Amino acid sequence: MAIITGYETHDVRFPTSLSGDGTDAMNTECDYSSAYVSLFTDSDLVGHGMTFTIGRGNEIVCAAIKEVARRLLNKDIETLFADMGKAWDHILADPQLRWIGPEKGVIHIASGAVNNALWDMYAKARKKPLWKLVVDMSPEEIVRSTAFRYISDAITREEAVAMLKAKEATKAEREAKVREVGYPAYVTSAGWLGYSDEKIARLTREAVAAGFNHFKMKVGADRDADLRRGKIIRSVIDNPQHLPPGMKPRDPESPALKGKNAGPTGCVLMIDANQVWDVPQAIEYVKSLEEIKPWFIEEPTAPDDVLGHAAIRKALLPHGIGVATGEHAHNRIIFKQLLQANAIDVCQIDSCRLAGVSEVLAVLLMAAKFGVPVCPHAGGVGLCEYVIHLSLIDYIAVSGTMERNVLEFVDHLHEHFLHPCSINAQGRYNVPTSSDEGYSIEMHKSSIATYEFPNGTFWKENKLQSKYA
């Protein structure tokens, strides 16, 4: 038996603002950052977790992580692993820390980093990747591992167990299939708002050549510029000559693409406003972009505005444009209401804005019940490494489908992780297979030494600390 004996945090910041990576209508200067935590035991077992920010404020999250992680000191890990739902409740149950949420904001994303670190430790203790640990659980074990408070009006524990049991007999078949073909991905890297037209066209051509057929573009700063940029992307993705050698156009009317506004090659364009509009403004602005045929508008308005999203979805439905949101939905209750209000066509969980795997499981179960596909957000450092595990759990054990799902892929910063995610020649995520990678989020010590703020070698040598003053 092992006991949790300590923890350590690191404020790690990467200077992505220097190249314009991550820019959108709301967030014009982003330094992708990791509030990183390691949980130590009296054995060799260590669990790693993180949550994502875009720069200043990362130090506040690190401070909150320390307060949350303290709750796990001297806890026996096998007792925690035996009931991960109960462990999640304990992590979030400090009344004074809860008061400054509750279950939202800095304290919640800090709790997500700690819960993810505990799950990473659990998977490593069982010598399985995180996704495999969860899909090998019984339905009862998965439900017991889930954060269930406040969602029983949307799905009961009994309903969840029944749903999981209905998929249990065919889990092995789905696992074999996804290991063979990979999990569907879409690319955001070509569509950042700070990129030139030439860079957008080049990166889009490269993405098509790499096998991708779903592409996302940032919008919301300038309607005419958005139309121009959208037409550039469409001119590339709708042209068969840009497809990889030997790849035939996909059928736009196939079950995987029907209703997604796919072009003649079967390629799909999505647009993302990052919360920049009021509700009436969102409706009119997106209508004006109908010409570039987006599948959905992501985050058209404030992330907590459930009824606003419902109104936008209703108004855009006749125009064949859906609504997606979730990367800033701060807990399972917001997702519950979005689903109950028929406010979204696509559910976009974030691996560490939600408070870790246990809360993510709650949203996966609800989305499956409501029949809404889950397409996780991964536009940030470490998020791609995280979310492939979550999508595999959803496909193999929960929803049983990946036909219409696509998982965001951003080609940034993977080299800083011991077990980076990877994409195959068909533009799909490869399945993590290493027995020692856990939740795939362990960072190289050299990367921490270089990019820890403010004393990492990069920040000291380049004298860029003043940008955070």
Side-chain angles (χ1 to χ4, degrees), residues 12-261:
V12 185
R13 308 187 194 186
F14 300 97
T16 50
S17 62
L18 299 179
S19 57
D21 298 343
T23 49
D24 57 59
M26 186 66 78
N27 307 295
T28 55
E29 189 177 26
C30 307
D31 283 326
Y32 279 180
S33 301
S34 167
Y36 187 81
V37 60
S38 299
L39 297 177
F40 302 105
T41 67
D42 57 3
S43 70
D44 293 334
L45 191 61
V46 181
H48 303 280
M50 58 150 279
T51 196
F52 168 67
T53 79
I54 59 169
R56 192 173 65 252
N58 206 46
E59 72 279 11
I60 300 172
V61 182
C62 286
I65 287 172
K66 292 176 183 177
E67 294 300 316
V68 176
R70 189 177 299 162
R71 292 186 60 75
L72 294 179
L73 290 178
N74 302 316
K75 297 294 182 184
D76 172 68
I77 62 170
E78 291 300 331
T79 301
L80 295 170
F81 299 162
D83 192 334
M84 287 295 279
K86 185 176 180 181
W88 188 89
D89 287 338
H90 175 74
I91 288 170
L92 275 81
D94 182 306
Q96 295 185 3
L97 295 181
R98 179 181 166 77
W99 184 265
I100 57 174
E103 296 190 30
K104 62 176 71 74
V106 169
I107 201 66
H108 204 59
I109 61 176
S111 300
V114 175
N115 184 251
N116 285 339
L118 186 61
W119 275 100
D120 179 65
M121 182 185 290
Y122 187 6
K124 287 174 177 172
R126 300 297 185 261
K127 300 191 181 306
K128 296 179 180 182
L130 185 278
W131 70 266
K132 182 64 171 166
L133 172 76
V134 177
V135 303
D136 284 350
M137 290 178 172
S138 69
E140 291 81 4
E141 287 175 311
I142 292 175
V143 171
R144 192 164 63 245
S145 299
T146 300
F148 240 93
R149 179 182 285 179
Y150 303 139
I151 65 169
S152 60
D153 54 327
I155 186 170
T156 65
R157 291 178 182 270
E158 293 75 20
E159 285 179 303
V161 169
M163 280 173 45
L164 294 170
K165 283 187 173 180
K167 299 289 190 295
E168 192 172 22
T170 49
K171 283 197 299 188
E173 177 183 324
R174 287 190 294 278
E175 180 177 331
K177 179 179 180 181
V178 75
R179 283 181 182 271
E180 177 187 357
V181 303
Y183 194 91
Y186 74 86
V187 65
T188 299
S189 299
W192 299 120
L193 210 59
Y195 287 176
S196 68
D197 289 357
E198 292 75 19
K199 187 172 184 179
I200 289 169
R202 174 176 60 81
L203 292 175
T204 304
R205 287 194 297 270
E206 291 174 359
V208 174
F212 291 98
N213 77 314
H214 286 65
F215 307 83
K216 192 167 77 179
M217 180 185 83
K218 301 293 184 175
V219 299
D222 182 309
R223 189 195 69 87
D224 291 339
D226 291 342
L227 270 177
R228 185 188 73 251
R229 292 163 59 248
K231 289 177 181 178
I232 290 170
I233 294 175
R234 272 290 180 196
S235 72
V236 175
I237 67 177
D238 290 347
N239 189 337
Q241 76 176 27
H242 295 299
L243 295 175
M247 180 178 284
K248 297 179 180 179
R250 297 170 171 90
D251 178 7
E253 293 301 311
S254 66
L257 296 175
K258 190 175 179 64
K260 289 186 175 182
N261 281 329

